[in-house]
Amino acid sequence: MKTEILCVGTELLVGDIVNTNAQYISEKLTNIGIDLYYQTTVGDNFQRMKECLKIAFNRVDLVITTGGLGPTMDDITKEVVADYFGEKLEVIEKYYKKLENRFIERGFGTDLGTGAEKEASIIKNSRLLENEMGMAPGFFFEKNGKRIIVLPGPPNELTWMVDNQVLPLLKEYSDDILLMKTLEIKGVPEGRIDDRLKNYFEMSNPTVAPYAKEGCVHVRVAMKGSRNNIEDINNEIDRIINEIKEIYPQAVEI
């Protein structure tokens, strides 16, 4: 399943905050063998975000969005997604009630304004993704072979939802797992390591990839396969690791 992360928020583009959400999602997707091909960041603009969705769905099967689920006018993610798929939004009553209770607890009364319905809404006929850490629910929607997961922006909400809602959902669609091990090789210039490991770097599964580090080169060996074949995957990774150690005896596993 080819995947793209679409992070929404002008604050990300202007450098007000660091985009830790993309890193967290990327790591989690890697752990369950989901192929992440692209990451895109877009500001709070309806047309630009819709264009990003169009581009994404022309090249991937699954888009995961973060941000833009709040009650204010610049929180547009749900509206853009609904418009893109030609669907309507519906209010989730229990999330509207959560907002109402918070207003009352803070002494604001029961006049929530129009933003509350907006924040408590998801696309009709989508799968609710619970948000136990915040006020805005997420959702999963599928149409014409394209899938989207819509998540909030605050990192404490997003991380909880990824771990408790998104990963169990994605495991229903993929039985894959990605395992990896890394070697550290000292005393070899980055530009020379290709000479002896070229055949490994051209492999597709397992994959072998070099990464330049301060004073050394890291070589990562990764392989994707079924969760039912973890032992076989590890054995194949170890076989390649041992072959590389024969070429570079100074290599150590980290």
Side-chain angles (χ1 to χ4, degrees), residues 33-95:
I34 297 292
D35 296 318
L36 177 63
Y37 281 15
Y38 305 95
Q39 293 183 12
T40 301
T41 302
V42 63
D44 303 304
N45 179 279
F46 194 100
Q47 291 303 323
R48 286 196 288 272
M49 184 182 171
K50 188 174 178 181
E51 182 65 19
C52 284
L53 281 179
K54 180 180 178 181
I55 293 170
F57 279 123
N58 280 334
R59 60 192 183 185
V60 300
D61 312 301
L62 169 68
V63 174
I64 301 175
T65 74
T66 72
L69 305 190
T72 60
M73 289 183 63
D74 63 338
D75 292 312
I76 58 172
T77 300
K78 287 181 283 191
E79 289 89 339
V80 174
V81 173
D83 183 76
Y84 178 85
F85 283 107
E87 301 290 338
K88 301 294 185 182
L89 295 171
E90 64 179 355
V91 176
I92 303 301
E93 188 61 33
K94 72 175 180 178
Y95 279 90

Side-chain angles (χ1 to χ4, degrees), residues 71 96-97 99-117 119:
Y96 188 85
K97 190 66 177 177
L99 287 165
E100 187 176 56
N101 290 339
R102 173 170 286 191
F103 265 59
I104 293 172
E105 289 169 1
R106 294 182 176 182
F108 298 142
T110 57
D111 183 10
L112 278 62
T114 57
E117 289 191 0
E119 187 171 8

Side-chain angles (χ1 to χ4, degrees), residues 234-247:
N234 276 319
N235 288 340
E236 181 64 11
I237 291 174
D238 287 340
R239 181 185 68 80
I240 295 173
I241 288 284
N242 291 331
E243 289 181 3
I244 295 174
K245 284 181 177 179
E246 290 181 5
I247 298 171

Side-chain angles (χ1 to χ4, degrees), residues 1-251:
M1 184 159 49
K2 299 176 183 177
T3 306
E4 179 164 347
I5 298 172
L6 177 58
C7 298
V8 182
T10 302
E11 67 275 12
L12 298 172
L13 292 176
V14 299
D16 279 350
I17 63 172
V18 177
N19 189 0
T20 59
N21 287 343
Q23 180 186 23
Y24 191 82
I25 296 171
S26 300
E27 180 182 8
K28 296 295 183 175
L29 293 181
T30 297
N31 290 341
I32 62 171
I34 297 292
D35 296 318
L36 177 63
Y37 281 15
Y38 305 95
Q39 293 183 12
T40 301
T41 302
V42 63
D44 303 304
N45 179 279
F46 194 100
Q47 291 303 323
R48 286 196 288 272
M49 184 182 171
K50 188 174 178 181
E51 182 65 19
C52 284
L53 281 179
K54 180 180 178 181
I55 293 170
F57 279 123
N58 280 334
R59 60 192 183 185
V60 300
D61 312 301
L62 169 68
V63 174
I64 301 175
T65 74
T66 72
L69 305 190
T72 60
M73 289 183 63
D74 63 338
D75 292 312
I76 58 172
T77 300
K78 287 181 283 191
E79 289 89 339
V80 174
V81 173
D83 183 76
Y84 178 85
F85 283 107
E87 301 290 338
K88 301 294 185 182
L89 295 171
E90 64 179 355
V91 176
I92 303 301
E93 188 61 33
K94 72 175 180 178
Y95 279 90
Y96 188 85
K97 190 66 177 177
K98 282 176 66 174
L99 287 165
E100 187 176 56
N101 290 339
R102 173 170 286 191
F103 265 59
I104 293 172
E105 289 169 1
R106 294 182 176 182
F108 298 142
T110 57
D111 183 10
L112 278 62
T114 57
E117 289 191 0
K118 170 188 175 72
E119 187 171 8
S121 295
I122 65 173
I123 285 184
K124 284 186 176 181
N125 301 315
S126 63
R127 177 169 168 175
L128 173 69
L129 299 179
E130 301 285 2
N131 181 0
E132 292 194 2
M133 306 301 292
M135 296 290 107
F139 61 88
F140 168 76
F141 184 73
E142 184 174 8
K143 187 175 182 179
N144 298 327
K146 298 298 183 180
R147 306 179 180 110
I148 190 163
I149 293 173
V150 176
L151 301 173
N156 66 317
E157 298 179 31
L158 178 130
T159 55
W160 185 92
M161 291 179 70
V162 168
D163 291 345
N164 294 279
Q165 298 287 296
V166 175
L167 295 183
L169 166 65
L170 290 178
K171 288 177 181 178
E172 297 175 14
Y173 289 84
S174 174
D175 183 54
D176 287 340
I177 189 170
L178 181 69
L179 302 179
M180 63 185 70
K181 292 184 180 180
T182 301
L183 289 172
E184 181 178 273
I185 305 175
K186 293 184 177 180
V188 182
E190 179 192 3
R192 192 181 297 167
I193 201 163
D194 280 3
D195 295 342
R196 302 187 69 185
L197 298 182
K198 179 181 178 181
N199 291 339
Y200 292 97
F201 296 156
E202 292 176 347
M203 298 170 64
S204 58
N205 190 37
T207 60
V208 182
Y211 299 91
K213 298 291 182 179
E214 185 69 29
C216 66
V217 176
H218 284 183
V219 174
R220 188 189 68 195
V221 182
M223 184 173 179
K224 185 165 69 172
S226 170
R227 291 187 183 89
N228 297 322
N229 296 323
I230 290 178
E231 183 177 354
D232 292 340
I233 297 171
N234 276 319
N235 288 340
E236 181 64 11
I237 291 174
D238 287 340
R239 181 185 68 80
I240 295 173
I241 288 284
N242 291 331
E243 289 181 3
I244 295 174
K245 284 181 177 179
E246 290 181 5
I247 298 171
Y248 291 108
Q250 71 270 43

